[in-house]
Amino acid sequence: MNLASTIFLAFAMSTDAFAAAVGKGASLHKSRIAEALRTGVIFGIIEAITPLVGWAVGRSAAQYVTAWDHWIAFGLLFLLGARMIREGFGQPEHGHEKPDSHSFWVLAATGFATSIDAMAVGAGLAFIDVDIFSTAATIGIATMLMVTIGVMVGRLVGATIGKRAEIIGGVVLIGVGSAILVEHLGFMR
């Protein structure tokens, strides 16, 4: 796999993380660049690790990873999205404002859910001659950049649509999960 293909793959792998990051940024009070970078780093590290895990698993049992990856991604994204929608429709607590940041665990769960497909890609890369470490690093860096930008875009969107941003973010996460499921089930071929 050449450098151009690796870079294209990396940015293609990070589009769902970008969409999730827009929702995360929209649900924050006023996301600062430091929070956007923190979110980007968390997503990027997870997105870099999952193809390595997939590659290792692919060496021994690729059919098990690729057979269930889309269902796992859909389930996680659906649950996270449903939670955001529920919170978006909930009554705001008196004196309760949007958070300035998301917890590490919420970001890690979202990052993992959007990186399941990278694990499957890693499993597929186990069967071709590719430097998995540089490919995984490229995927991680691209994801970090896309997520950082996504959080800041979400900040702009969130300022204009207020509380509905969480609802929209949840719908986006469910949409990303559904798109992954539909693509893997072959409805889009």
Side-chain angles (χ1 to χ4, degrees):
M1 197 158 74
N2 63 28
L3 180 60
S5 297
T6 301
I7 292 171
F8 178 78
L9 172 68
F11 280 100
M13 298 302 322
S14 64
T15 56
D16 52 352
F18 173 81
V22 170
K24 291 296 180 194
S27 67
L28 292 175
H29 172 60
K30 283 190 176 178
S31 56
R32 295 180 174 87
I33 190 67
E35 178 61 18
L37 281 169
R38 175 180 167 264
T39 304
V41 167
I42 291 169
F43 273 64
I45 289 171
I46 291 169
E47 193 88 22
I49 290 171
T50 53
L52 294 172
V53 171
W55 182 82
V57 171
R59 291 292 212 185
S60 60
Q63 71 272 14
Y64 300 115
V65 174
T66 57
W68 292 98
D69 67 336
H70 50 283
W71 287 105
I72 295 168
F74 172 74
L76 288 171
L77 289 171
F78 183 86
L79 291 174
L80 290 167
R83 179 175 171 250
M84 287 178 70
I85 291 169
R86 188 187 75 226
E87 289 175 5
F89 279 116
Q91 294 295 324
E93 298 173 18
H94 295 310
H96 177 72
E97 295 184 11
K98 288 181 175 182
D100 289 328
S101 66
H102 293 290
S103 76
F104 169 80
W105 295 110
V106 167
L107 294 177
T110 308
F112 180 72
T114 60
S115 69
I116 296 290
D117 56 342
M119 191 179 301
V121 166
L125 293 176
F127 300 103
I128 62 173
D129 185 28
V130 65
D131 180 357
I132 190 63
F133 296 105
S134 65
T135 301
T138 304
I139 291 170
I141 290 167
T143 300
M144 184 188 77
L145 292 171
M146 295 286 284
V147 166
T148 301
I149 292 167
V151 169
M152 297 311 291
V153 167
R155 174 186 177 180
L156 297 173
V157 171
T160 59
I161 61 174
K163 182 112 171 105
R164 291 181 184 86
E166 269 191 293
I167 297 167
I168 292 169
V171 169
V172 167
L173 287 181
I174 291 171
V176 169
S178 297
I180 290 169
L181 185 63
V182 166
E183 177 185 338
H184 284 271
L185 291 177
F187 295 131
M188 302 208 36
R189 290 184 184 154

